[in-house]
Amino acid sequence: MAQIISGKEVSQRVRERIKLEASELFEKTGKKPGLAVIIVGEDPASQVYVRNKAKGCEEVGFHSEVYRLPEDTKMEELLALIEKLNNDCNIHGILCQLPLPKHLDETEVILAINPNKDVDAFHPVNTGKIMIGNYSFLPCTPAGVMELIASTGVDVAGKECVVVGRSNIVGKPQAMLLLQKNGTVTICHSKTKNLKETTKRADILVVAVGRANFITGDMIKDGAIVVDVGINRNEEGKLVGDVHFESAEKVASYITPVPGGVGPMTITMLLQNTLTAAKEQIK
Ligand code: GUN
């Protein structure tokens, strides 16, 4: 039976360290790390995420500002707000919650954020830095996954690592971070042939496909570490991951639950990036 990797516990430990470092920064400089979060429209899931981000800031003693813009906001208005925040010395991190309403161009918005304040690490300057292993910010979800893997004490070096999913936000950067730690990395996606053959090779399996219970126990190697990034609702409306937990936990050595696994880590890593940004900018 697998040991559960508790995202709540790991997250709490990391947040305590962030809180301490933020208070040390305040004692030295009189400044708090500042995060601005922009949300356009009324998407209910985004509203919850944004509330939790502001709550996270409060918990670790950061300054935070939330900008709620109406659904019909024009591109020029959004870009003007980002420009104002780029030039605001009390704001060290800027995050524009995605998805944006259809009439707004997400790529242009990401490009408008000063890369030094891009705490999502979505700007091409930051994704490029991740490629060459010389980064200040890591994208929040993959960085959270790395913390969870590290919490097991297992060294990634030399391990067969399989990432299922190739999104720009999770799959691709996840593969880079595992490679950075000297894993032997394979990325699987919807066109992969013999998926099971590949996932069964994985000592470390990270799944981010957005399909409920997509990976089952028979697709997992005995003793693997399984990290489930998915958050889906099943037919009964219950939150489930991309991994079928009941069959997977019988095979894996460590496994993350949903909820309570990767989820709590994502905001924690955002706080980490905001602290990093503040330290760089306050210097
Ligand atoms: N929407 C869902 N996840 C994220 C995220 O990590 N960052 C942003 N900006 N929007 C999101």
Side-chain angles (χ1 to χ4, degrees):
M1 217 55 163
Q3 260 180 269
I4 307 291
I5 308 174
S6 166
K8 278 190 202 151
E9 280 173 30
V10 178
S11 181
Q12 205 49 49
R13 278 206 297 276
V14 178
R15 282 190 197 200
E16 270 156 30
R17 181 184 47 71
I18 292 172
K19 188 174 177 176
L20 184 68
E21 286 185 37
S23 76
E24 285 169 359
L25 184 71
F26 186 74
E27 272 167 35
K28 257 201 290 190
T29 67
K31 293 207 162 198
K32 290 180 177 183
L35 175 69
V37 179
I38 305 169
I39 177 167
V40 186
E42 304 292 328
D43 179 66
S46 293
Q47 299 278 351
V48 175
Y49 290 137
V50 167
R51 251 200 320 275
N52 287 338
K53 284 166 184 170
K55 239 165 58 185
C57 282
E58 196 178 326
E59 188 189 319
V60 296
F62 289 6
H63 168 68
S64 81
E65 297 176 6
V66 178
Y67 293 84
R68 295 176 197 279
L69 307 184
E71 181 84 22
D72 62 356
T73 297
K74 295 195 177 64
M75 195 65 191
E76 302 79 62
E77 294 168 321
L78 180 53
L79 293 177
L81 172 60
I82 292 171
E83 194 48 28
K84 179 177 92 77
L85 295 169
N86 278 341
N87 294 314
D88 183 339
C89 65
N90 292 318
I91 293 298
H92 309 103
I94 303 169
L95 178 148
C96 184
Q97 187 68 29
L98 303 179
L100 288 169
K102 290 270 181 301
H103 67 283
L104 297 172
D105 181 345
E106 288 186 356
T107 308
E108 203 181 329
V109 168
I110 289 168
L111 284 172
I113 296 172
N114 178 341
N116 296 327
K117 296 191 176 187
D118 168 40
V119 283
D120 265 324
F122 289 170
H123 191 290
V125 164
N126 289 320
T127 55
K129 283 181 162 185
I130 291 157
M131 276 292 283
I132 60 174
N134 167 30
Y135 42 75
S136 320
F137 306 131
L138 291 176
C140 301
T141 301
V145 170
M146 295 308 287
E147 287 283 339
L148 293 175
I149 294 170
S151 78
T152 66
V154 172
D155 186 4
V156 174
K159 298 289 189 304
E160 287 283 344
C161 303
V162 174
V163 179
V164 189
R166 57 170 157 181
S167 70
N168 288 332
I169 293 183
V170 185
K172 284 184 209 168
Q174 189 69 68
M176 281 301 134
L177 300 191
L178 289 162
L179 184 60
Q180 212 91 60
K181 294 284 178 199
N182 299 313
T184 302
V185 184
T186 305
I187 307 176
C188 298
H189 47 79
S190 55
K191 300 285 188 294
T192 297
K193 296 201 171 73
N194 304 323
L195 177 65
K196 178 174 170 178
E197 217 170 80
T198 308
T199 57
K200 256 209 120 77
R201 282 209 318 264
D203 302 307
I204 298 173
L205 181 63
V206 181
V207 190
V209 290
R211 287 173 64 178
N213 300 325
F214 182 69
I215 298 288
T216 44
D218 60 310
M219 301 167 80
I220 296 169
K221 182 178 175 178
D222 259 334
I225 297 176
V226 178
V227 182
D228 188 352
V229 180
I231 304 177
N232 314 285
R233 293 220 179 254
N234 69 6
E235 305 83 55
E236 293 114 56
K238 191 178 151 217
L239 277 187
V240 296
D242 292 349
V243 176
H244 183 261
F245 188 84
E246 291 72 21
S247 59
E249 74 166 340
K250 294 194 174 80
V251 191
S253 60
Y254 292 93
I255 188 166
T256 62
V258 176
V262 175
M265 291 304 294
T266 301
I267 294 179
T268 299
M269 300 325 284
L270 172 70
L271 300 172
Q272 173 64 62
N273 283 345
T274 305
L275 175 66
T276 305
K279 284 183 175 174
E280 280 294 315
Q281 289 165 48
I282 292 169
K283 258 201 264 194

